[in-house]
């Protein structure tokens, strides 16, 4: 509650954090849906929203964010009702991108329709 009062951030206890997650600017304005699974080494900038098309909290995540993902400021990620949104390992989500479809590993997406400007080689 203190985090919400000071930083307007929502990171519910039901969300699955599988390792170190870095919230830039102390998570200012970050909202994470409870049906979210976040991998190791993920970086999330300020004012990011991770939503779900399914309202109820479930055992299975509806948004799965892989390891080493970077999500830029103001990005919006949302699964569709009854589907799982998968963000692959090493993906980069640009600032203010709107992501409603899967993002392959090591891919960068940007813009309001999350288009793919580049794919980079996997890191070792």
């Amino acid at each position: 509650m203190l985090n919400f009062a000071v930083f307007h951030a929502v990171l519910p206890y039901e969300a699955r954090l599988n390792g170190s997650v870095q919230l830039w600017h102390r998570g200012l304005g970050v909202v994470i849906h409870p049906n979210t699974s976040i991998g190791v080494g993920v970086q999330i900038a300020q004012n990011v929203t991770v939503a779900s098309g399914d309202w109820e909290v479930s055992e299975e995540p509806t948004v799965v964010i892989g390891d080493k993902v970077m999500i830029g400021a103001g990005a919006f990620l949302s699964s569709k009702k009854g589907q799982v949104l998968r963000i692959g390992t090493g993906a980069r989500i640009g600032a203010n991108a709107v992501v409603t479809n899967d993002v392959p590993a090591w891919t960068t997406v940007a813009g309001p329709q999350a288009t793919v400007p580049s794919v980079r080689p996997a890191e070792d």
Side-chain angles (χ1 to χ4, degrees):
M1 292 303 292
L2 179 62
N3 193 30
F4 176 74
V6 175
F7 299 109
H8 302 285
V10 178
L11 183 58
Y13 70 89
E14 297 96 342
R16 297 155 188 88
L17 303 177
N18 298 312
S20 63
V21 174
Q22 182 180 15
L23 298 176
W24 297 351
H25 303 286
R26 293 182 171 80
L28 182 65
V30 171
V31 177
I32 306 291
H33 192 276
N35 293 351
T36 302
S37 174
I38 302 174
V40 177
V42 173
Q43 299 175 16
I44 302 174
Q46 67 276 13
N47 297 315
V48 168
T49 300
V50 179
S52 173
D54 297 318
W55 291 97
E56 292 125 20
V57 176
S58 66
E59 292 292 321
E60 296 300 317
T62 56
V63 179
V64 177
I65 300 172
D67 298 338
K68 300 180 182 178
V69 171
M70 191 281 300
I71 304 173
F76 177 80
L77 291 71
S78 181
S79 65
K80 296 174 184 169
K81 187 167 179 65
Q83 296 181 3
V84 176
L85 174 66
R86 298 181 191 284
I87 309 300
T89 296
R92 294 183 181 179
I93 311 292
N96 297 314
V98 176
V99 180
T100 57
N101 295 310
D102 291 353
V103 177
W106 307 106
T107 301
T108 299
V109 295
Q113 296 176 337
T115 55
V116 180
S118 69
V119 177
R120 59 190 208 285
E123 294 177 1
D124 293 331

